[in-house]
């Protein structure tokens, strides 16, 4: 699939989900490189690849996984001494990223399970593959565990979660979102996923996560966040805020009822921000870290520095 085809599919949401967007973009860059003629001039190759990368970046300017994936693949290309080295570096990094992202959940699950003790009662929220993977792996290891799962209004993703847990024969209690504080006294540990992680270790996740973390903090229960490294948001290094999506009001209040309530408005944010001080550990495929080391992942693992970030902003401006 060409760079343009991939870009169009990302824009149209035909390609969606953080992991899939990242892998498809990297695959498109790798394949695009093979279509470029060999000129013997590494600067021409780098310029062509930077243009392709910029086109992909412009498809989802607020995405987190996309710039991370492109940075991982392109950083060694830009420092290559000759064209063949640049092509080789791009191909190797692309294949490595695709493999790593596909196996990340397995590694996170094992590390997450290691933090679940036999006999634990766990609370989880929404439908995180990384969080559920950790719970399921703990069960596979023979640990006797129970789970409290929230309903996750207004889309009820909790129903998917309890179906998954039931399929793995894990005893589960399904609770309304507003029962979190009441039930926290029955819980030993909270495990959730993340949509994005900022430079200061704050976590953007499904609405309701922050109040669960607050209740856990009050009850002195540990909160573990499980997330792939490509969910760390590098542009927060430069002070950029992560946009919180608002969904239509009729997901909460049907239009026919709202029509008779002219003085009522509905707020339906999809995500909220959990402060780093309410989080005990962030588990990634690169290892488990305390929240205040989020920048270390961005710098050492993902390769982000101020120069690299400025280059990506310039690339976006061109597109």
């Amino acid at each position: 699939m060409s760079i343009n085809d991939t870009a169009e599919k990302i824009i149209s949401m035909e390609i969606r989900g953080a992991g899939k967007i990242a892998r498809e973009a990297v695959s498109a860059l790798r394949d695009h490189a093979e279509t470029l003629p060999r000129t013997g001039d590494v600067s021409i190759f780098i310029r062509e690849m930077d243009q392709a990368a910029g086109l992909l970046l412009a498809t989802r300017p607020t995405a987190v996984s996309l710039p991370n994936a492109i940075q991982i693949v392109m950083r060694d290309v830009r420092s290559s001494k000759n064209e063949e080295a640049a092509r080789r570096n791009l191909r190797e990094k692309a294949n490595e990223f695709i493999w790593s992202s596909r196996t990340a959940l397995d590694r996170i699950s094992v590390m997450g399970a290691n933090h679940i003790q036999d006999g634990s009662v766990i609370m989880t929220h929404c439908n995180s593959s990384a969080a559920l993977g950790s719970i399921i792996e703990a069960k596979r290891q023979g640990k006797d565990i129970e789970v409290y799962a929230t309903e996750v209004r207004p889309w009820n993703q909790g129903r998917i979660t309890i179906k998954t847990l039931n399929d793995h024969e894990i005893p589960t209690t399904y609770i309304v979102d507003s029962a979190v504080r009441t039930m926290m006294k029955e819980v030993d540990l909270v495990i959730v996923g993340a949509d994005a992680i900022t430079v200061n270790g704050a976590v953007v996740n499904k609405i309701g996560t922050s109040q669960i973390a607050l209740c856990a903090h009050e009850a002195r229960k540990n909160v573990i966040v499980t997330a792939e490294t490509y969910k760390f948001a590098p542009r927060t290094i430069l002070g950029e805020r992560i946009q919180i999506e608002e969904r239509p009001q009729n997901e909460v209040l049907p239009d026919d009822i709202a029509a008779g309530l002219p003085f009522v408005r509905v707020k339906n944010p999809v995500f909220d921000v959990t402060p780093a001080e309410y989080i005990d550990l962030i588990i990634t495929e690169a290892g488990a870290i305390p929240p205040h080391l989020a920048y270390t992942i961005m710098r050492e693992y993902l390769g982000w520095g101020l120069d690299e970030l400025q280059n990506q902003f310039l690339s976006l401006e061109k597109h």
Side-chain angles (χ1 to χ4, degrees), residues 131-160:
L132 284 175
S134 300
I135 295 168
I136 292 166
E137 174 62 19
K139 167 73 172 183
R140 192 195 67 78
Q141 292 176 2
K143 294 175 182 176
D144 181 20
I145 57 174
E146 296 182 28
V147 177
Y148 278 82
T150 53
E151 60 178 342
V152 198
R153 289 277 299 150
W155 274 85
N156 296 306
Q157 290 100 324
R159 295 179 186 176
I160 305 172

Side-chain angles (χ1 to χ4, degrees), residues 186-198:
E186 308 292 337
V187 172
D188 300 304
L189 176 69
V190 173
I191 300 180
V192 295
D195 281 86
I197 299 170
T198 71

Side-chain angles (χ1 to χ4, degrees), residues 40-83:
D41 187 337
V42 67
S43 63
I44 294 175
F45 178 75
I46 293 172
R47 184 170 64 249
E48 291 284 348
M49 292 309 303
D50 275 335
Q51 289 177 355
L55 177 64
L56 291 170
L57 284 169
T59 62
R60 295 286 295 275
T62 61
V64 173
S65 65
L66 188 55
N68 281 330
I70 289 172
Q71 167 65 6
I72 288 171
V73 170
M74 289 295 297
R75 62 185 175 185
D76 287 348
V77 173
R78 298 187 182 107
S79 61
S80 299
K81 300 299 184 184
N82 56 66
E83 183 182 352

Side-chain angles (χ1 to χ4, degrees), residues 71 78 238 303-314:
Q71 167 65 6
R78 298 187 182 107
L238 299 180
W304 286 109
L306 292 178
D307 288 343
E308 290 83 2
L309 284 166
Q310 294 289 0
N311 286 339
Q312 279 218 0
F313 270 113
L314 288 173

Side-chain angles (χ1 to χ4, degrees), residues 89-160:
N89 286 334
L90 190 147
R91 183 171 58 253
E92 290 177 355
K93 286 295 184 180
N95 290 336
E96 182 182 311
F97 175 83
I98 292 167
W99 175 86
S100 178
S101 68
R102 283 176 174 159
T103 60
L105 286 176
D106 291 338
R107 284 174 280 164
I108 291 170
S109 296
V110 171
M111 283 186 275
N114 290 339
H115 289 273
I116 299 174
Q117 297 182 358
D118 188 32
S120 290
V121 178
I122 304 155
M123 182 176 287
T124 193
H125 182 61
C126 204
N127 186 244
S128 162
S129 297
L132 284 175
S134 300
I135 295 168
I136 292 166
E137 174 62 19
K139 167 73 172 183
R140 192 195 67 78
Q141 292 176 2
K143 294 175 182 176
D144 181 20
I145 57 174
E146 296 182 28
V147 177
Y148 278 82
T150 53
E151 60 178 342
V152 198
R153 289 277 299 150
W155 274 85
N156 296 306
Q157 290 100 324
R159 295 179 186 176
I160 305 172

